[in-house]
């Protein structure tokens, strides 16, 4: 589904990713862990197409297409979804209108007929029930004044609405208490199936108790330095990131 | 011949012809002609007109409509095509080329009295006329304002008596029919809300040119003065969605003589060159005023909003929010003055102007101007000029929404907290539709 080969990228002339290799197959859940500043969020942003980041070299193919050549909206159309670490508040834009526009634009991209108002509302009600989202949240402006938990739940709700093939969760657990983590994880688990995949980017192991990964990768200094199964996450939790850092040769000139 | 000589000449003849009716007005008009001759048409050398040029438009010498000239081509059918949504349940007052047209107008609320200004004296309203008419000239001291007063012809006086709350709004249409010739229209009205009266006013501007000849131009120089007595409440809406061939100066001057409530929303979506003056003079304690504005320009259009909130007595409150979106090569000006006189302690006055530039060639000049002579006051002002938020853009795009649509959604969101203050639903929905239409055009 997703094949990343020797991806190097940076921002404002500063190289952050120094050669990432990663392959995710349909139905798999991968977790990327790593200390602060290791490049986790950069990887998520580069995959989603944020223009501030500059790809220096490498390739990324998504469902057989050259992902790096696609605009952010085309990536969404192809089935990529990024749950933001910091969802943006947009006062004055109703969550419902935003969602309807997004759903129908993605449908258009996929060659499907747009949903009419009735079909859209029906779909929205189903997904709201799935995600434990209250109606009142959707009549408000997009993310405006939402609590941290509400924002993250809204991200997962959007994911359910857009039905992506690959969902990237960027530090979705940050700022959430344990109850909120459980709700958000349940939402993710409910929409997992053998055809779609999840890439969980997180600092802590705790989210992985709920969204159980098939593979865990440790990102450090812009490279994946260790890969393993979920046991690797436990090891990191126990020993901290220092044992990874200590295993690494000193960066040339860093 | 330059514009000043031309109009002075025309006006002197008219005042002579009109003399005999309402002598009080004649002397006022003669003074205005002198002021006009002395001040001329404001140029960019005038600080208040630094960024707005109207002289080229007036140098084309648009014609003053002739006395008793009501045989202009504008017909009932023409009007019906242009009535605003909700007109079935509204009072409608129609000016054509600056002259009040009673045939096209209709009054359905008994609480409203409408009278020609030049008939006020003979109807025992000399005192109202003397106290209130042309008070605006104390604040708008320039030749273009004087030109409107000098011309005064078929203006109207609107009065709502004590304790009368008018349920149905008044729609005032200012039609400039330039199909036959280049027209200068100068409508004038005076509104009095007596104690505890309530009224909603919607003003709109429509210019007609020759469809085959887009170069036909027109100019509208509009003045409305509104006076509120104690406990009166006013909602004033101005919707500008005019032809690009029209230039206009539009002044609204509001006086709050007693503790009263003013709510204004000025929406400028279309029109070649617009200068709006909005003055709120608080002459009593505990007056309250809310001023909202939205301007959305494109092409080579120009919008200038000048506002004044003059706090003359203690304990008044005002809140002002103007938002602008400028696309293409359009230019915008916002100048917001707040005066807090020495006596006006405990004043709360807030002002904010926010602008978004959608193109590198659009520009805006924003100037908050606070003059505070009292020491126990709360005042704030702020202005911003920027682009649409990149983070918000990316958020929408990452959800599959293409750039053009994302932009429309974000501009719509930016404008929404102005439009929501239009409390007449058919008008609000109409403005929402106009904006949505404009956003689609902007996206091509």
């Amino acid at each position: 589904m997703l094949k990343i080969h020797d991806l190097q990228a940076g921002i404002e002339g500063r190289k952050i990713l120094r050669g990432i290799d990663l392959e995710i197959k349909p139905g798999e859940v991968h977790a990327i862990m790593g200390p602060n500043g290791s490049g986790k969020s950069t990887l998520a942003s580069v995959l989603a197409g944020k223009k501030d980041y500059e790809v220096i070299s490498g390739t990324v193919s998504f469902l057989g297409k050259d992902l790096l050549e696609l605009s952010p909206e085309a990536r969404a159309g192809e089935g990529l979804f990024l749950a933001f670490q910091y969802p943006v508040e947009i006062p004055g834009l109703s969550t419902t209108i935003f969602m309807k526009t997004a759903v129908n634009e993605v449908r258009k991209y996929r060659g499907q007929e747009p949903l009419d108002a009735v079909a859209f509302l029906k779909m929205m009600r189903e997904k709201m029930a799935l995600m434990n989202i209250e109606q009142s949240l959707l009549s408000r402006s997009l993310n405006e004044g939402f609590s941290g938990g509400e924002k993250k739940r809204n991200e997962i709700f959007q994911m359910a609405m857009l039905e992506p093939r690959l969902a990237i969760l960027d530090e979705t657990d940050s700022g959430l208490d344990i109850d909120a983590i459980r709700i958000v994880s349940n939402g993710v688990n409910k929409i997992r199936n053998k055809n779609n995949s999840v890439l969980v980017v997180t600092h802590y192991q705790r989210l992985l108790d709920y969204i159980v990964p098939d593979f865990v990768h440790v990102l450090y200094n812009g490279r994946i330095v260790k890969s393993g199964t979920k046991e690797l996450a436990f090891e990191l939790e126990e020993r901290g990131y220092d044992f990874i850092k200590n295993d690494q040769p000193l960066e040339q000139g860093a | 011949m330059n514009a000043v000589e031309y109009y002075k000449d025309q006006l002197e003849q008219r005042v002579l012809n009109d003399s005999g009716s309402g002598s009080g007005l004649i002397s006022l008009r003669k003074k205005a002609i002198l002021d006009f001759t002395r001040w001329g048409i404001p140029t960019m050398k005038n600080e208040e007109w630094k960024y707005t040029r109207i002289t080229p438009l007036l140098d084309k010498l648009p014609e003053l409509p002739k006395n008793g000239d009501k045989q202009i081509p504008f017909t009932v059918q023409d009007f019906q095509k242009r009535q605003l949504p909700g007109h079935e349940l509204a009072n409608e007052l129609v000016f054509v080329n600056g002259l009040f047209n009673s045939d096209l107008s209709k009054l359905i609320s008994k609480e409203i009295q409408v009278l020609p200004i030049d008939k006020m004296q003979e109807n025992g309203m000399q005192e109202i006329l003397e106290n209130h008419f042309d008070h605006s000239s104390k604040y708008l001291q320039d030749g273009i304002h004087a030109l409107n007063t000098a011309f005064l012809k078929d203006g109207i006086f609107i009065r709502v008596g004590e304790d009368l709350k008018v349920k149905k709004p008044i729609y005032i249409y200012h039609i400039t029919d330039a199909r036959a010739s280049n027209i200068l229209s100068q409508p004038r009205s005076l509104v009095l809300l007596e104690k505890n009266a309530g009224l909603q006013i919607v003003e709109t501007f429509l210019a007609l040119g020759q469809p085959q000849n887009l170069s036909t131009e027109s100019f509208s120089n509009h003045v409305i003065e509104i006076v509120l007595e104690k406990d009166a409440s006013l909602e004033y809406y101005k919707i500008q969605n005019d032809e690009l061939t029209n230039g206009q100066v539009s002044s609204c001057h509001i006086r709050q003589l007693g503790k009263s409530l003013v709510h204004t929303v000025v929406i400028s979506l279309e029109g070649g060159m617009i200068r709006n003056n909005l003055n709120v003079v608080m002459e009593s304690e505990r007056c309250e005023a809310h001023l909202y504005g939205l301007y959305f320009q494109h092409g080579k259009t120009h919008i200038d909003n000048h506002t004044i909130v003059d706090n003359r007595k203690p304990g008044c409150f005002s809140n002002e929010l103007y938002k602008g979106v400028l696309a293409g090569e359009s230019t915008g000006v916002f100048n917001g003055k707040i005066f807090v006189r020495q006596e006006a302690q405990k004043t709360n006055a807030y002002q904010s102007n926010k602008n978004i530039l959608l193109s590198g060639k659009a520009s805006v000049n924003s100037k908050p101007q606070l003059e505070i002579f009292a020491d126990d006051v709360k005042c704030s002002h702020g202005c911003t000029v920027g682009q649409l938020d990149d983070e918000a853009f990316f958020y929408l795009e990452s959800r599959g929404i293409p750039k053009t649509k994302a932009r429309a959604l974000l501009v719509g969101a930016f404008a929404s907290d102005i439009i929501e203050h239009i409390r007449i639903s058919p008008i609000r929905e109409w403005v929402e539709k106009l904006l949505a239409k404009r956003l689609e055009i902007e996206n091509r």
Side-chain angles (χ1 to χ4, degrees), chain B residues 72-83 94-97 104 173-185 204-220 241-247:
Chain B
I72 35 108
F74 194 77
T75 61
V76 179
Q77 287 74 26
D78 286 330
F79 176 59
Q80 283 167 345
K81 274 186 247 166
R82 294 169 172 86
Q83 280 173 294
V94 184
F95 286 79
V96 178
N97 293 352
L104 295 174
Y173 299 84
H174 297 290
I175 285 146
T176 300
D177 188 345
R179 286 178 292 186
S181 61
N182 187 355
I183 286 288
L184 169 62
S185 72
T204 190
F205 299 80
L206 300 159
L208 283 75
Q210 290 167 299
Q212 63 275 56
N213 179 10
L214 285 171
S215 68
T216 302
E217 294 185 23
S218 53
F219 197 94
S220 152
N241 187 48
D242 213 338
E243 297 295 324
L244 293 171
T245 51
N246 184 252

Side-chain angles (χ1 to χ4, degrees), chain B residues 41-92:
Chain B
I41 291 158
T43 65
M44 294 165 98
K45 285 180 197 153
N46 180 332
E47 184 64 26
E48 296 301 316
W49 292 84
K50 198 172 171 186
Y51 301 104
T52 298
R53 263 161 68 89
I54 57 170
T55 39
L57 296 169
L58 287 162
D59 280 344
K60 290 178 181 162
L61 306 180
E63 288 171 36
L64 294 165
K66 292 180 186 67
N67 273 359
D69 181 7
K70 290 200 174 162
Q71 279 77 44
I72 35 108
F74 194 77
T75 61
V76 179
Q77 287 74 26
D78 286 330
F79 176 59
Q80 283 167 345
K81 274 186 247 166
R82 294 169 172 86
Q83 280 173 294
L84 297 186
H87 66 87
E88 301 86 352
L89 293 174
N91 300 280
E92 293 182 289

Side-chain angles (χ1 to χ4, degrees), chain B residues 79-134:
Chain B
F79 176 59
Q80 283 167 345
K81 274 186 247 166
R82 294 169 172 86
Q83 280 173 294
L84 297 186
H87 66 87
E88 301 86 352
L89 293 174
N91 300 280
E92 293 182 289
L93 303 179
V94 184
F95 286 79
V96 178
N97 293 352
L99 310 177
F100 179 62
N101 185 316
S102 55
D103 296 340
L104 295 174
S105 302
K106 78 165 198 272
L107 269 184
I108 54 173
S109 302
K110 284 194 227 81
E111 303 90 340
I112 304 172
Q113 185 187 3
V114 174
L115 197 75
I117 288 176
D118 50 16
K119 295 277 186 312
M120 286 175 73
Q121 193 184 28
E122 62 197 66
N123 282 278
M125 298 179 192
Q126 180 69 21
E127 202 180 328
I128 296 175
L129 194 65
E130 281 170 8
N131 287 343
H132 303 309
F133 185 74
D134 208 33

Side-chain angles (χ1 to χ4, degrees), chain B residues 30 50 82 110 117 140 152 171-172 179 211 220 230 316 333 360 368-369 396 413:
Chain B
K30 283 184 175 159
K50 198 172 171 186
R82 294 169 172 86
K110 284 194 227 81
I117 288 176
L140 302 166
L152 181 68
Y171 290 3
I172 305 179
R179 286 178 292 186
S220 152
K230 186 170 180 290
C316 293
V333 179
Q369 212 176 324
L396 265 52

Side-chain angles (χ1 to χ4, degrees), chain A residues 48-50 72-73 76 81-82 84 88 90-93 98 102 105-106 142-143 155 158 162, chain B residues 389-403 405 409-410 412-414 416-417:
Chain A
K50 194 167 188 193
E73 71 263 25
F81 181 89
L82 171 66
F84 280 54
V88 183
I90 306 182
L93 176 57
F98 157 72
E105 287 298 328
V106 164
L142 186 58
N143 291 323
E155 291 293 290
Q158 291 173 31
L162 296 176
Chain B
D389 180 21
D390 278 344
E391 296 289 323
F393 239 118
F394 176 61
Y395 190 60
L396 265 52
E397 288 176 88
S398 78
R399 297 302 180 247
I401 301 173
K403 211 172 201 77
K405 265 219 171 115
L409 286 177
L410 292 175
F414 176 75
S416 69
D417 65 344

Side-chain angles (χ1 to χ4, degrees), chain B residues 8 137 151 203 221 256 296 300:
Chain B
K8 185 187 170 225
S137 63
F151 173 72
E203 282 200 289
N221 179 24
Q256 297 182 269
F296 187 178
K300 293 190 174 187

